[in-house]
Amino acid sequence: LSTTQLTELRACFPALHQNINCNQLIYLDNAATTQKPLAVLEAMDHFYRTDNANVHRAAHTLSARATTAFEAARERVRRFLNAASSDEIVWTRGTTEAINLVAASWGGSQLRAGDEILLSTLEHHANIVPWQLLAARTGAVIRVIPLTAAGTLDIAAGLALIGPRTRMLAISQVSNALGVINPLGELLAAARHVGALTLVDGAQAVGHLPVDVQALGCDFYTFSGHKVYGPTGIGVLYGRRDVLEGMPPWQGGGEMIRHVSFAGSTWNRIPLRFEAGTPPIAEAIGLAAALEFIATLPVGWREHEARLRDRLLAGLAALPFVEVLAPTAERVGVVSLRLGDIHPQDAGELLDQMGIASRVGHHCAMPLMQALGVEGTLRLSLALYNTEQEVDAVLAALARLPDFF
Ligand code: PMP
């Protein structure tokens, strides 16, 4: 990206332009949530100002407009994921709800005692705890793919864990705590080979990598709108048509039924079967605007992010008290740091005094922290609107940390 392009791009994100503790904000907590472009804010504002109505049921014009925009948003997501049909796109509140939906509906109806669910050490709690709840209910057993000494997935060990009892492989495409891109091809193929289903947690991938669920060959794919420049409160479960069609509802209410009587009820077609109640309409429209925004970015934005990542890693390597976790792994623009004797919390607070937003703690990945033998880390996560100056500023701020502690 040229300097002009980057300036124009940053102008699309109002929240970036403010002072925090008397310093220009440097937002490096993008893995937690991204800032929102005007296109998203305006799409949601426009919906509420002009088209606001409930979807799918009413006979009036506003409702027709709201329904058209809402279903167009679903189609926008289908294109983003390259799903075969928009019937395979289920709206959820986010990644967490999407995984809970699969665990409750598919898992609750399919799993028996002794069936195995395969996860990995570096999963977010959202891709651990729903499976634990399911295992407690069904007697299914959770197995965990370990890490190599380099802090990456041990693929060979993972392949060895896939067997006739494996029913589900649920795994993240990109680790939120480390930024590492997991090579999933062999694992997904091996799971398919034994007849297991596969769920890919794409929460940290969608903001950085092009996604193609058909090329990936997964049965389910999940992500959250707010990590890809869209609003909170909206996420997506992609499910392959034949798998979704075989799944029972998980929440009951309006929208998800075909017919209700006290003698019994019947269920709507997919995806509405999984969307009980009034959906997050404005949020879906906002997410579609975010995906359109990304699709129309100047070419070279991914290279811009990669250059920032490399600049950050090079600068960090020159700081003797800083240790990057999984330093050699292929990664997106997310790094997790150990800072010698300096507690991440103290470092994070000091950075905030300088206007720099970072993340500290276990990053909702306590088992990963346990495996790495750390209590927590300082995480810096980049987005397309970050700049070389910002990277240099955070490196300079980190270099000063030992003077304070
Ligand atoms: N999985 C991963 C890899 C994540 O990074 C996150 C969000 N930190 C989640 C799941 C959960 O997403 P949400 O909180 O939006 O439901």
Side-chain angles (χ1 to χ4, degrees), residues 31-32 94-97 99 124 126 172 174-176 201 203-204 224 226-227:
T95 308
T96 303
E97 190 175 77
I99 298 172
H124 188 281
S172 53
V174 172
S175 154
N176 69 303
D201 172 356
Q204 292 296 335
S224 303
H226 70 96
K227 302 217 193 248

Side-chain angles (χ1 to χ4, degrees), residues 67-90:
T67 302
T68 302
F70 179 67
E71 290 303 328
R74 200 189 299 272
E75 168 59 20
R76 188 69 194 79
V77 171
R78 182 206 67 73
R79 267 202 289 145
F80 177 69
L81 296 178
N82 192 34
S85 160
S86 60
D87 291 347
E88 299 177 319
I89 306 301
V90 181

Side-chain angles (χ1 to χ4, degrees), residues 206-225:
V206 282
H208 303 285
L209 308 174
V211 178
D212 181 334
V213 289
Q214 297 190 76
L216 255 178
C218 54
D219 297 292
F220 299 106
Y221 190 92
T222 61
F223 75 93
S224 303

Side-chain angles (χ1 to χ4, degrees), residues 3-245:
T3 313
T4 319
Q5 280 176 319
L6 190 53
T7 306
E8 282 173 8
L9 217 146
R10 287 178 62 81
C12 300
F13 290 85
L16 295 178
H17 307 282
Q18 59 178 307
N19 281 357
I20 299 291
N21 296 319
C22 307
N23 291 286
Q24 164 61 43
L25 166 66
I26 297 180
Y27 188 75
L28 296 175
D29 194 18
N30 292 290
T33 201
T34 50
Q35 298 302 340
K36 317 306 173 199
L38 286 169
V40 170
L41 307 181
E42 285 163 2
M44 295 175 77
D45 185 73
H46 175 82
F47 170 74
Y48 279 127
R49 283 176 192 272
T50 63
D51 300 336
N52 177 55
N54 212 328
V55 290
H56 292 151
R57 285 177 295 264
H60 61 82
T61 302
L62 282 191
S63 177
R65 273 198 232 147
T67 302
T68 302
F70 179 67
E71 290 303 328
R74 200 189 299 272
E75 168 59 20
R76 188 69 194 79
V77 171
R78 182 206 67 73
R79 267 202 289 145
F80 177 69
L81 296 178
N82 192 34
S85 160
S86 60
D87 291 347
E88 299 177 319
I89 306 301
V90 181
W91 297 118
T92 65
R93 271 197 304 128
T95 308
T96 303
E97 190 175 77
I99 298 172
N100 274 279
L101 191 168
V102 175
S105 168
W106 174 81
S109 62
Q110 293 292 321
L111 290 198
R112 301 287 169 267
D115 285 347
E116 293 181 3
I117 302 161
L118 185 57
L119 310 176
S120 91
T121 305
L122 41 67
E123 296 313 308
H124 188 281
H125 296 162
N127 197 28
I128 299 174
V129 183
W131 304 114
Q132 288 179 325
L133 294 172
L134 174 66
R137 221 154 47 116
T138 58
V141 178
I142 291 174
R143 302 231 175 272
V144 184
I145 304 174
L147 298 184
T148 65
T152 56
L153 275 190
D154 188 334
I155 302 293
L159 293 173
L161 283 168
I162 296 173
R165 309 255 22 199
T166 312
R167 300 292 311 280
M168 167 62 78
L169 166 66
I171 193 157
S172 53
Q173 198 173 8
V174 172
S175 154
N176 69 303
L178 303 179
V180 169
I181 302 170
N182 293 323
L184 296 181
E186 277 184 275
L187 289 171
L188 294 178
R192 267 198 310 275
H193 187 71
V194 298
L197 293 193
T198 56
L199 179 147
V200 174
D201 172 356
Q204 292 296 335
V206 282
H208 303 285
L209 308 174
V211 178
D212 181 334
V213 289
Q214 297 190 76
L216 255 178
C218 54
D219 297 292
F220 299 106
Y221 190 92
T222 61
F223 75 93
S224 303
H226 70 96
K227 302 217 193 248
V228 63
Y229 308 102
T232 53
I234 186 81
V236 169
L237 169 68
Y238 157 81
R240 242 186 37 215
R241 175 188 288 278
D242 55 323
V243 180
L244 284 183
E245 278 180 343

Side-chain angles (χ1 to χ4, degrees), residues 306-319 324-329 331-337 382 391 395:
R307 265 199 306 278
L308 294 182
R309 174 201 61 204
D310 294 345
R311 190 179 183 94
L312 181 61
L313 286 169
L316 291 169
L319 298 176
V324 177
L325 300 180
T328 55
R331 57 163 22 88
V332 299
V334 177
V335 294
S336 234
L337 310 179
L382 299 162
V391 168
L395 288 168

